[in-house]
Amino acid sequence: MNNYPDARAYYDKMHRLGKWMTFITLIVFCGVPFVVCMVYGIMPKVSDVLLASGGLLAIFIPAAIAELIADTPVMGTSFYLSSITGNIMNLKLPAVLNALKIADVKQGTQEADAVSGVAVAVSSLTTMVIIAAGALLLTPLKPILELPQVTTATQYVLPALFGCLMLSIFSKNAGGGTVFHGHLKALIIPFIIAAALYLYIIPEYYELYQGFIIIGCIPLLYAITKIMYKKGIIKVEMKEEQEGEERDAA
């Protein structure tokens, strides 16, 4: 992974910067409402805060842990910026996967880390521009946004986004010349378990426990993938192997 002499210095700097920015962001996020509550004398009780946020924390804490475990190997140091700006699963991760595919770089390399950082930064800037434009144009565009055609189309934005993400998962090309064969077979058992939980076992509680389900599926998927790889069901073709076969054929 350290292809360049200053690789370790680069990663140390990025991790240090990411930790400081995360700390400052937490201070700002928590500090603004705290100061407002102090100034206007409306500080809520800790018990009321926990009672109101308990249900949300039960959903988002496991989901955040699952994202940390699953997304960091793909996003690299750009995960710091993604965590600060938010919307990782719906926006940042698809942007990173698409950028890695376009740049044709292998995940986990220095090149992939740089490409991921640019993708997340551009995605964040684009989001801020769109939000600012939306805030300014919300009133003038209100008649258009309330049209039945527009309201119907907005319902398909998120499914279309996840559809694009699924297409990248189905691809055999992992970037950087690495090709997977049979990797989708490892998804069968986790998919069946998640579908059974959602449809038959705990349909009314699935959304509440989906973070825990994701955390449980991660080690299961890892174990299945490792077993299938050792048995030759899943194969990984590296760029060096492809170049060797081409030389032999020539």
Side-chain angles (χ1 to χ4, degrees):
M1 190 172 181
N2 294 331
N3 299 326
Y4 305 106
D6 59 345
R8 178 51 54 191
Y10 165 77
Y11 284 114
D12 289 343
K13 181 179 180 180
M14 293 302 296
H15 285 301
R16 183 168 58 253
L17 181 61
K19 292 174 183 177
W20 274 108
M21 291 304 299
T22 302
F23 177 75
I24 294 173
T25 302
L26 288 174
I27 294 297
V28 174
F29 282 175
C30 298
V32 171
F34 180 80
V35 171
V36 171
C37 291
M38 288 291 292
V39 171
Y40 291 97
I42 53 175
M43 183 65 67
K45 297 179 180 179
V46 176
S47 57
D48 294 336
V49 175
L50 294 177
L51 181 63
S53 60
L56 294 175
L57 292 176
I59 297 175
F60 287 110
I61 288 180
I65 296 174
E67 285 186 345
L68 176 65
I69 298 173
D71 298 344
T72 301
V74 178
M75 306 184 72
T77 57
S78 66
F79 190 81
Y80 288 111
L81 180 58
S82 300
S83 300
I84 293 172
T85 54
N87 206 4
I88 299 176
M89 185 63 67
N90 298 337
L91 189 59
K92 302 302 189 303
L93 182 60
V96 168
L97 291 175
N98 192 42
L100 294 177
K101 189 173 182 61
I102 293 174
D104 193 25
V105 293
K106 183 180 178 181
Q107 296 178 10
T109 60
Q110 296 171 6
E111 292 82 0
D113 194 270
V115 171
S116 300
V118 173
V120 172
V122 173
S123 174
S124 301
L125 292 173
T126 303
T127 301
M128 288 189 290
V129 171
I130 293 175
I131 292 175
L136 294 174
L137 301 175
L138 183 61
T139 300
L141 295 179
K142 185 177 180 180
I144 299 176
L145 296 176
E146 292 179 347
L147 291 174
Q149 299 89 333
V150 177
T151 55
T152 301
T154 55
Q155 298 176 5
Y156 294 94
V157 173
L158 193 59
L161 183 62
F162 276 101
C164 296
L165 181 60
M166 288 299 296
L167 290 177
S168 64
I169 295 175
F170 288 131
S171 175
K172 295 181 178 180
N173 185 8
T178 303
V179 179
F180 296 141
H181 298 282
H183 65 289
L184 294 178
K185 297 176 182 178
L187 299 175
I188 296 176
I189 294 178
F191 175 78
I192 293 175
I193 294 175
L197 290 171
Y198 178 72
L199 297 174
Y200 304 108
I201 302 176
I202 52 169
E204 64 275 14
Y205 300 109
Y206 186 87
E207 184 176 354
L208 179 62
Y209 294 110
Q210 63 180 347
F212 295 99
I213 296 172
I214 295 174
I215 294 177
C217 286
I218 290 174
L220 176 63
L221 181 61
Y222 172 78
I224 294 173
T225 304
K226 190 172 184 178
I227 293 173
M228 288 186 172
Y229 177 76
K230 288 184 176 181
K231 291 183 176 296
I233 300 175
I234 296 177
K235 298 180 181 180
V236 180
E237 187 177 353
M238 306 299 291
K239 182 178 181 180
E240 295 78 8
E241 297 176 357
Q242 300 176 33
E243 293 175 348
E245 292 177 357
E246 293 176 356
R247 287 194 299 267
D248 295 339

